[in-house]
Amino acid sequence: QRPRRVALLGSTGSIGTSTLDVVRHLPDRLDIAGLAAHSKWEQLAAQCREFKPRFAVLCDPVAFKQADRTLFPKETELLCGEDAVARLVTDAGTDIVVSAVVGAAGLAGTWAALEAGKTVALANKETLVVAGPLVTELAAERGAKLLPVDSEHSAIFQALTGHTPADVTRVVLTASGGPFRGKRAADLEAVTPAQALKHPTWQMGPKITIDSATLMNKALEVIEARWLFGLAAEQIDVIVHPESIVHSFVEFADGSVLAQLSPPDMRLPIQLALLHPERVGGPAKRLDWQKLTALHFEQPDRETFAALELGFEVARSGGTCGAVLNAANEAAVGRFLNGEFAFLDIARCCRAVLSSHDYETRPTLERLKTLDAWARQEVARWTRTRTPVAPS
Ligand code: NDP
Ligand code: MG
C-alpha cells in the first residue's frame, strides 16, 4: 500500500504544523504532495526542505515576490495565488486535502477540492459556517468525503460510526470555557488581547483562541455540527468541560450516550481524518490513567458569553446568517486584537450586523461572498457610530 498523498492548506499555522508532525511520524502511510501558506515563506521553505513536496503555494503575492528561491528544494515548484491552490488540490497526485487555513479564506480551497471529488480533512469550520448547505451538497454530488478535524466533530463522527443520524436524539458539544470561565460581564469589559490569548487547555492560532474566549468558537461549532451531521439546531447542545478530555457526547434514541476521550492534542483528530478508517499508533498524547481523578461539567453562562446564543440562532435560521455572523466575527476579532474593540464589543457588534442584514433562505455562493464583504464594512460602520461603552 503506497502512502496517502496529502495537500496541506495552511501549513504554517497551528493545525498545519500539527499535521506535519503526524506525517513525520507515519512516513510509510502519509506523504506530502503540496503545501500552501499565506505569507510565511521562510517557514514554508523549511517545510519544503524537510518534506520535498511537488508544489508549494504562497497565497500572498508580496511574499511570493520576496521569497528566496534558493531556500526551496529543486523538486518543489513554487506557485502563487488562489488558482495555484486549486491546481494543488485538484492535482492527480493529491489523495486528500487538509483544509487548515483560518477564516472564510479557507472556503475556496475546500470548494475546489470537493469539486474535484477529493477527500477533505476539514479543520476550517468557517467553510461550513459560511456555506454549510452548499458545501455538503457539493460533497454529496461529487462523491467527495468530508472528514472532520475539529476535535468535537471528530468525537461525534467516531461515536456515530455504525449509526445513522436518525438514531441520534442529540449531540452535546463540550467547551473548555476558555480563559474567562466563571467571570461575569463586569469582569470582562476591560480584558486585554494578551489575557484573552492565554487559553487554559489548547495551543491554537490567535483567531480561534479569541473565539474560544468569547465562546464564539462554540457558536461556530454548533453551526458546523448542524450542517456536517444534518442535525436540527434543537438537537445540538453545549456543556462546559474545563479539562478538555471528553471531546463531545452523542445521545441515541434508546438513551445510551457515547463519548470520545483523549488528552487535548489535535494530532489525534488530524491523524484519524488522514488515515480513516484505520487506527494506528501515532504522535498524539495518551490519557494518563494514574493522573486521571475527576472530570467536571457545568452549564455555560449564556448571558455573559452572548456569542453562544448567536450560534444557536444562526443554526436555526440558516440561509445567509452564517456568512454574515462569520465575517462580522472575523472583522471584530481583528479589531479586538488591534486594540480598537473592547472584548464584549465582539458579540455586541456581531449581533448588530446580523440583525441589520437582508436575510435570504437559499443564497448562492456569489451572494454569500457579497454578504461577507458587506458584513466586514458594517463592522467598520458600527465602530464609527457606536456610543462608547460607559465604564461600570
Ligand atoms: P493559524 O492562524 O495558526 O494558521 C492559519 C494558517 O492559514 C496559516 O498557515 C496561514 O498562513 C494561513 N492563512 C491565513 N490567511 C490566509 C489566506 N488569506 N489565504 C491562505 N492562507 C491563509 O490557525 P489555526 O491553525 O489555529 O486554525 C486553522 C483552522 O483550523 C481555523 O479554521 C480554526 O478554526 C480551525 N481549528 C483549529 C484548531 C487548533 O487547534 N488550532 C482546532 C480546531 C479547528 P501564514 O502563516 O503564512 O500567514
Ligand atoms: Mg473545536
Side-chain angles (χ1 to χ4, degrees), residues 296-338:
H296 298 85
F297 299 95
E298 63 194 44
Q299 292 305 311
D301 175 353
R302 290 165 188 251
E303 214 177 294
T304 306
F305 298 94
L308 185 56
E309 211 50 49
L310 288 172
F312 288 108
E313 287 176 27
V314 169
R316 275 194 297 272
S317 351
T320 44
C321 291
V324 171
L325 175 65
N326 178 70
N329 179 56
E330 281 186 37
V333 169
R335 281 174 191 267
F336 170 67
L337 287 171
N338 282 339

Side-chain angles (χ1 to χ4, degrees), residues 10 12-15 38-40 100 123-126 150 204-205 266:
T12 49
S14 162
I15 293 289
H38 185 242
S39 58
K40 292 196 183 128
N124 180 266
K125 64 193 83 184
E126 294 91 342
D150 211 349
M204 310 179 287
M266 287 308 294

Side-chain angles (χ1 to χ4, degrees), residues 314 317-325 350-361 363 367-368 371-372 374-375 378 381:
V314 169
S317 351
T320 44
C321 291
V324 171
L325 175 65
C350 286
R351 172 161 299 284
V353 174
L354 193 62
S355 52
S356 70
H357 97 279
D358 280 329
Y359 174 78
E360 276 172 50
T361 336
R367 180 80 190 121
L368 294 176
L371 273 171
D372 175 288
W374 171 85
E378 280 301 291
R381 207 167 65 87

Side-chain angles (χ1 to χ4, degrees), residues 125 150-153 174 202 208 217-218 221 224 266:
K125 64 193 83 184
D150 211 349
S151 55
E152 297 76 5
H153 304 72
T174 52
W202 295 99
I208 185 177
N217 181 50
K218 217 44 59 178
E221 290 183 356
E224 180 186 14
M266 287 308 294

